[in-house]
């Protein structure tokens, strides 16, 4: 399996968890919303950390590019985490309007971010990290990604 396929599959998994959390908040089913939201956040953090701690450093070393696309992605991860925090606060306050407002912003950001990764960055990983696939893929799976 390629990095492109593996990581895009994980994007889809996170998207499904995100949709479940939004639906529960929209229905004001607060216990389910809390559980779904935490599941989404946990999956996203596993994904983001796998990129930041494993794939990005391996790519930067292999390509010699440390201020390129991975730098942009790290910056967007920071922005997403700020929205995660806003959503968590809104959930704690049981404010569906605030949650759904932040989640709408996050949805747009994730769609753009994922498209860049899936169309540009992950194919670069497939090329540059091909010799490391056998060592990196089990590490991704061990992280739950």
């Amino acid at each position: 399996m390629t990095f492109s396929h593996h990581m895009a599959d994980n994007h889809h998994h996170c998207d499904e968890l995100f949709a479940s959390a939004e639906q529960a908040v929209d229905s004001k089913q607060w216990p389910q919303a809390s559980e779904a939201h935490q599941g989404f956040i946990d999956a996203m953090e596993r994904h983001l950390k796998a990129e930041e701690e494993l794939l990005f450093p391996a790519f930067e070393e292999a390509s010699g590019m440390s201020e390129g696309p991975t730098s942009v992605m790290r910056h967007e991860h920071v922005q997403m985490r700020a929205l995660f925090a806003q959503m968590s606060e809104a959930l704690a306050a049981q404010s569906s309007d605030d949650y759904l407002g932040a989640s709408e912003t996050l949805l747009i950001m994730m769609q753009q971010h994922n498209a860049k990764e899936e169309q540009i960055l992950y194919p670069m990983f497939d090329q540059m990290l091909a010799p490391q696939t056998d060592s990196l893929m089990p590490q991704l799976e061990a992280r739950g990604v």
Side-chain angles (χ1 to χ4, degrees):
M1 178 178 289
T2 63
F3 294 106
S4 292
H5 187 235
H6 187 84
M7 296 302 284
D9 282 353
N10 194 251
H11 280 167
H12 297 307
H13 172 68
C14 291
D15 291 346
E16 290 169 3
L17 296 172
F18 178 73
S20 294
E22 278 192 318
Q23 288 169 357
V25 168
D26 192 42
S27 327
K28 295 181 174 43
Q29 297 173 336
W30 300 115
Q32 298 91 327
S34 182
E35 185 177 324
H37 173 77
Q38 195 57 53
F40 165 68
I41 297 300
D42 292 347
M44 283 297 295
E45 281 299 334
R46 283 191 301 274
H47 182 91
L48 299 178
K49 287 179 181 178
E51 289 178 341
E52 294 165 352
E53 297 172 2
L54 187 66
L55 294 177
F56 291 178
F59 173 77
E60 291 164 352
E61 185 176 329
S63 68
M65 287 192 287
S66 61
E67 294 301 319
T70 52
S71 178
V72 173
M73 295 299 107
R74 280 188 180 97
H75 177 68
E76 291 180 6
H77 290 179
V78 169
Q79 294 174 315
M80 283 190 264
R81 285 181 172 117
L83 289 166
F84 297 166
Q86 288 178 26
M87 292 162 62
S88 294
E89 290 170 18
L91 185 62
Q94 295 188 351
S95 172
S96 58
D97 289 344
D98 289 346
Y99 186 97
L100 295 171
S103 73
E104 181 65 25
T105 303
L106 179 63
L107 176 62
I108 294 165
M109 182 177 292
M110 285 193 312
Q111 288 172 334
Q112 294 170 347
H113 180 86
N114 293 354
K116 286 184 269 191
E117 287 185 335
E118 292 173 17
Q119 295 168 14
I120 300 166
L121 191 58
Y122 294 163
M124 293 170 77
F125 287 178
D126 291 340
Q127 181 180 7
M128 299 296 297
L129 300 178
Q132 299 175 55
T133 301
D134 289 344
S135 66
L136 290 173
M137 205 61 76
Q139 292 179 61
L140 286 174
E141 292 167 2
R143 290 170 173 259
V145 173

